[in-house]
Each structure stands twice: as C-alpha cells, then as structure tokens.
Amino acid sequence: MSSKLEARIEALEREVREVAKVVQTLAVRPDWRSTFGMSANDPGFEEMVRLGREYRMRQRPKSKRNARR
C-alpha cells in the first residue's frame, strides 16, 4: 500500500473512533424501560387512564343482557 493510502485509512479510523465516542456518550436507552414509572403518583396520568378506560367501555358492543336494562 502506498503511504498516502495508509495515512488516509489511519485518519478515517481515528475519525470513526471519535464519532463512536460521541455516539456512546449520547446513547440513551430508547426502549420502554427508560420511561417506566415516570408518571407514578401523577393525578393527571391516573385521570387519563380512567378516562381511557371509560371510553373503551363505551365502545364495546352492548350484550343482549345489558341491552334489556
């Protein structure tokens, strides 16, 4: 290999190492575990859950038993 090519490869390898370091420092767990529990004991969140549950219950088809009532 020519020394010019070797120098370019070394420069690229150095740059890749630097980029990898930056990526590692910025890396955050992007899955559900990073946000699990964030809304614990939050009344607004609990109300949202309650309202969502009420909405889903209203969307269910009425059974014959409940339709007579």
Side-chain angles (χ1 to χ4, degrees):
M1 256 193 247
S2 72
S3 61
K4 202 176 207 183
L5 183 57
E6 288 176 4
R8 288 180 64 191
I9 290 173
E10 287 176 14
L12 286 172
E13 289 174 342
R14 200 171 28 257
E15 191 169 340
V16 167
R17 281 193 299 273
E18 290 174 19
V19 170
K21 285 179 187 176
V22 171
V23 168
Q24 286 176 350
T25 59
L26 297 176
V28 179
R29 289 171 48 156
D31 57 4
W32 63 270
R33 289 174 286 212
S34 64
T35 58
F36 186 78
M38 286 179 63
S39 300
N41 302 320
D42 181 353
F45 180 77
E46 291 176 16
E47 182 180 7
M48 180 186 68
V49 170
R50 180 184 60 78
L51 292 171
R53 184 177 298 120
E54 288 176 10
Y55 174 77
R56 289 189 305 277
M57 293 301 287
R58 286 193 309 267
Q59 300 303 310
R60 290 183 176 182
K62 300 287 183 195
S63 68
K64 290 180 184 179
R65 183 176 188 184
N66 290 339
R68 283 187 251 149
R69 293 184 179 178

